[in-house]
Each structure stands twice: as structure tokens, then as C-alpha cells.
Amino acid sequence: MSQQSAVPKPSLQGVRTKVRKGQVKAQAKHEPAVFRDQLYKHLETVPENDFEGFSAKLVQAGGTLEYLKYADTLFEILLVGGLIQPGGSYLDDGAPMSPFSVFNARNPPDIEELKKYVDVFNKLNRRFKYLQKPFEEQSLPTLLQYIGRWSSEQRDKLAMTIGLLLSQGLVTAACLQSLTKDHLIKNDQSINILALIFSAYLTDQSIDHLAATLKRGNIKDLLLFFPPNKRDAKVLDAFFREKNLPTVADWYTKKQYAIAKDAIMKELKEVVERSDDSESIISAIQSKLEEQRLPETELIQSIWQGLMASVDWSARPDQIEGLALREVGKFAPVLVAFCKGPKTQVALINIVQVYCYDDTRVMKAFPQILKVLYNKDCVSDQAIIYWHQKGSKPQGRQHFLKATEGLVKVCQQICPSVLSRTELVL
């Protein structure tokens, strides 16, 4: 048995094993410097600032050069003008800077000129769609983490270019995650770069468009771009206003308010399910306010919505109005605790108005709900008259104003000159 196993198996001599072309390319030596030199030969023939010429040459070069294999090298050349070594420094092999790169833009950076550079990237990626993924997932994140290695003018050019790329949808905001690395946030580098990116972005798009882009890129909290000792909403607000980006500051504040309102509404629903005790509900709201302060008008809206969301509305249609009045009366002590000023009281009336307009089941009950709020001292006669004369919302305005005329007349008899005094308070 052992002798048979020792006999070598027969084999064919002179047979050539066929290897796939893709496998040959994958096993080929990686030579980014050779690729760079070959690309330069195409770009050197184009006159300076001939952006159409550069676009045409890059498309032409893609027919012979291996763009997919050298995607990182290609974008390093086109963005920063040369090959980058690990650590962020240029490869020192005596090669000149690229005839075309974002760093070749004039100083100080001009947004209109940078748009022409971005247009070249747009045409390149549209022609070679396989470059899109390595561009936004590898090249940009890598260059951003080395952004502290370059001069201030070069940083500005790269940041503004990325802002324009984002605004035109050529890349996603996921590449910005690189700016949250510790070595960039500690000296405010990250947040200053982010401000430049936002400034360039907002020259083309709105703040709502920017917010949607950040959400798609999973950028959840701008405070992560600040040093740990500066991660405070007030610091963020002051920073973006100083950078002439008040829309970013306002958007972030509204976003934090929305998060706080959702938290309060969720907490209210859980507390009401456990107990109807007004003191417990008030205490729960105050605890949430210690975590995140809210303007009174925003707070009263979240309280109303949270309380109404906790009501079981599965009654017969003819019983809905009576149920609404009972629930409002039951929760009135909670509303009174946070509805102290006339501005907040008018805001509460408007919140109830819009709520009744949206939910047609309780639309006819609006005058009675307002009367309950008045009798329970949630709103004053001053607030009701001001709302009726000039403070109401457009949703169903004529219907609600006519329906509440009787209550308003009673309030006017109690305090006939209330309008001017209410205006002073508001």
C-alpha cells in the first residue's frame, strides 16, 4: 500500500494554464508613481485654466490608464497636486506638482473658480461611474484626516471644494466623519474646516438642503466636531454666528428643540400611563427641562401634544367632544403650571386651534375647550381677546373666530380695554 502511494501521479507536460485577465491585473505590481507620470503626459498638453480641455484629457486618459486600480492616486493628484505618503506628506521623488489640481486655484480662493474645478470632477465621475465609490469612501476621508498638514490657503481651497461637491450631490456627507478624529478636533481645526464647507455649500443650496445632506451622511451631532471641553450648544451657536453662518446656528437650535420636545412628549405618555396625578406629570416635565431648556411657547406645544397623545380616543363619534372636554379639564393643572405669561397663553390657544383644525372629530368642541381653559385659569381674558382680534392662526380662522364670539364678548365686558394692555405685555 505504501509502495503504491509513493508512485508519482502522471501529469501532462507543456500544458499552459489559462489565467483570467482580471486576475493578471490584480497580481500586477502597484506603481502609483508610474501612473502619475503617465497621467501628467496627458495633462501637460492642456493650457492653464482650460477646464474643458482638462475634462476632455482626463476622459481620454481613462481609456488607457487603470483608473479603478489607481483611484486613490488619481484623486490625490487632482485634489492636492501630488502623491501623498502615509502621514500626509508629499512623496519626495522630485516629481513636479500636477498641471491640474484644486491647489492650483488662485489665492485667496474664489468660489466661482472652484466651481469650475468641481465641474471637472463631475464630468469625470459621470463618465467613469466606478470612481464614485472610492472618491467618497476612500480618497476624501483620507485627505481630510491629513488636512492639518497643508497651508491655510490650501486647506481653504480643499474645504470649499468639498462643500461644493456636497451641494451638487457628487459625494455624501459621510466623508466628513474623518474630521471627528482627535488630532483634528483638539485645536479647533475640524470645526473651522466644517464652517468653510458649510459656507461654500450654502452659496448654492438652502439650510434645509444642507440639513438633509447631513442626515443622509449620518452626521448626527455637530458638537462632535468641537473639542470635548467646548461641546456646548451655546458655544456652537456663538461660533457659527461669528463665522457669519447664523442659519446654521438657528437650524441647530431648532433641531435641539425638536429633540427636547420629542423627549418631553414621550415622557408624558409614559407618566400618564402610570398615573394621572398632576404633580407627577409636572415633576417629570421639570426633570426633562433640566436636561434641555425650551422656550415657553415650544414647551407648551410639546406638553399639549404629549397630553393629547396619551388620550384613548376610541370612543363613539358622538362621545368624542365630551371626552375631549373631560381630558382638557383633567390636565388643566399641568397646563397652568407652564402657561404663566400672556405670550404663552396666546400660543396655547393657537396650538389648540391648529389641533382642532387637524382633528375634525373635535373641531366643533373648540369653543368649549377654550372655555374650559379659561375657567381653569390656563388662559386669561386678555389672551382670548388678543387672539380673537389679531393673534389667531390662519388654519380655520374664520370658523373659529365666529364660533368663539360669545366667549369673547364676555371677556370684553370683564376687561373692555384689554387689547392695548395685552400688546404691551406681549
Side-chain angles (χ1 to χ4, degrees):
M1 192 67 149
S2 59
Q3 291 179 353
Q4 291 179 355
S5 61
V7 177
K9 293 182 180 181
S11 61
L12 294 174
Q13 300 295 326
V15 176
R16 183 179 178 182
T17 304
K18 188 175 181 180
V19 182
R20 292 180 179 272
K21 185 186 296 184
Q23 187 177 353
V24 173
K25 288 185 177 181
Q27 293 174 350
K29 188 176 181 181
H30 189 70
E31 298 176 312
V34 174
F35 173 85
R36 175 199 61 196
D37 295 340
Q38 292 174 341
L39 182 63
Y40 279 12
K41 290 178 181 179
H42 290 273
L43 300 179
E44 286 169 350
T45 61
V46 182
E48 187 178 359
N49 294 326
D50 182 3
F51 295 97
E52 289 294 333
F54 282 121
S55 295
K57 283 295 182 182
L58 285 169
V59 171
Q60 180 185 345
T64 56
L65 300 181
E66 297 182 65
Y67 275 180
L68 181 58
K69 181 177 180 180
Y70 292 100
D72 290 345
T73 303
L74 172 66
F75 290 118
E76 285 176 6
I77 293 169
L78 300 182
L79 285 168
V80 301
L83 301 184
I84 301 298
Q85 299 182 105
S89 59
Y90 285 105
L91 179 65
D92 187 12
D93 62 352
M97 298 297 285
S98 171
F100 174 88
S101 80
V102 171
F103 282 3
N104 291 350
R106 62 176 176 267
N107 294 318
D110 177 66
I111 197 74
E112 294 303 322
E113 183 187 19
L114 290 175
K115 286 181 180 180
K116 297 177 182 178
Y117 283 90
V118 170
D119 188 52
V120 174
F121 286 99
N122 184 21
K123 292 177 179 177
L124 178 65
N125 286 349
R126 281 194 303 174
R127 174 60 182 83
F128 305 100
K129 296 185 183 300
Y130 54 78
L131 291 176
Q132 177 69 31
K133 186 174 181 179
F135 185 42
E136 68 176 49
E137 294 184 4
Q138 300 170 25
S139 299
L140 287 178
T142 299
L143 292 175
L144 278 173
Q145 71 178 350
Y146 297 144
I147 201 163
R149 304 279 303 188
W150 299 306
S151 67
S152 59
E153 291 85 2
Q154 292 173 327
R155 287 198 298 269
D156 292 354
K157 292 173 187 177
L158 183 59
M160 293 168 69
T161 299
I162 292 174
L164 294 173
L165 289 168
L166 288 168
S167 71
Q168 296 183 24
L170 303 181
V171 295
T172 68
C175 64
L176 302 181
Q177 297 283 3
S178 290
L179 291 175
T180 59
K181 293 183 180 295
D182 292 341
H183 71 281
L184 291 175
I185 63 174
K186 64 180 180 181
N187 295 322
D188 290 342
Q189 283 187 349
S190 292
I191 194 59
N192 283 302
I193 293 299
L194 196 66
L196 285 168
I197 291 173
F198 286 174
S199 294
Y201 191 108
L202 294 173
T203 59
D204 276 349
Q205 303 290 353
S206 66
I207 185 62
D208 292 333
H209 194 280
L210 173 60
T213 298
L214 293 175
K215 184 177 181 180
R216 286 194 298 270
N218 203 29
I219 306 296
K220 297 180 179 179
D221 193 355
L222 297 185
L223 288 178
L224 296 178
F225 295 88
F226 285 82
N229 61 336
K230 294 183 179 180
R231 288 176 183 171
D232 183 86
K234 292 181 179 178
V235 174
L236 183 146
D237 187 273
F239 173 81
F240 282 111
R241 293 188 188 282
E242 181 184 346
K243 295 294 183 179
N244 199 28
L245 291 168
T247 53
V248 177
D250 293 340
W251 162 76
Y252 185 81
T253 300
K254 290 178 182 178
K255 181 183 177 184
Q256 296 308 109
Y257 286 167
I259 294 173
K261 287 166 67 175
D262 288 343
I264 288 174
M265 291 169 61
K266 183 179 179 181
E267 182 72 13
L268 279 176
K269 186 176 180 180
E270 294 176 356
V271 173
V272 172
E273 287 176 354
R274 295 195 301 266
S275 170
D276 288 341
D277 179 40
S278 298
E279 293 299 324
S280 300
I281 298 174
I282 293 171
S283 177
I285 296 172
Q286 289 173 338
S287 297
K288 283 295 179 183
L289 288 177
E290 292 177 0
E291 300 173 9
Q292 171 68 53
R293 301 298 301 177
L294 273 174
E296 291 182 355
T297 53
E298 299 282 348
L299 174 62
I300 201 66
Q301 181 183 25
S302 62
I303 292 174
W304 172 268
Q305 292 175 344
L307 293 175
M308 292 300 103
S310 67
V311 177
D312 182 7
W313 296 101
S314 60
R316 295 205 318 258
D318 60 333
Q319 297 178 338
I320 290 292
E321 293 184 17
L323 174 62
L325 296 178
R326 289 195 300 273
E327 294 296 329
V328 171
K330 181 175 71 174
F331 292 132
V334 179
L335 296 171
V336 170
F338 299 96
C339 199
K340 299 175 181 177
K343 184 176 181 180
T344 311
Q345 293 174 9
V346 173
L348 175 59
I349 299 174
N350 278 321
I351 291 164
V352 178
Q353 175 192 336
V354 174
Y355 181 83
C356 292
Y357 177 81
D358 292 337
D359 191 344
T360 54
R361 296 175 301 175
V362 295
M363 191 171 185
K364 292 182 179 179
F366 175 74
Q368 289 76 24
I369 292 175
L370 187 56
K371 187 174 181 180
V372 170
L373 293 174
Y374 176 64
N375 290 335
K376 296 289 186 178
D377 295 326
C378 297
V379 297
S380 64
D381 45 18
Q382 297 179 1
I384 293 174
I385 295 173
Y386 180 86
W387 168 82
H388 192 270
Q389 292 184 346
K390 60 190 302 183
S392 60
K393 292 284 186 181
Q395 292 91 329
R397 175 179 287 156
Q398 296 304 319
H399 170 79
F400 292 123
L401 293 183
K402 185 171 182 60
T404 54
E405 285 178 350
L407 178 59
V408 172
K409 287 180 181 178
V410 173
C411 293
Q412 287 174 333
Q413 291 173 0
I414 297 173
C415 197
S417 60
V418 71
L419 177 58
S420 59
R421 287 188 286 142
T422 306
E423 288 180 323
L424 290 174
V425 177
L426 289 173

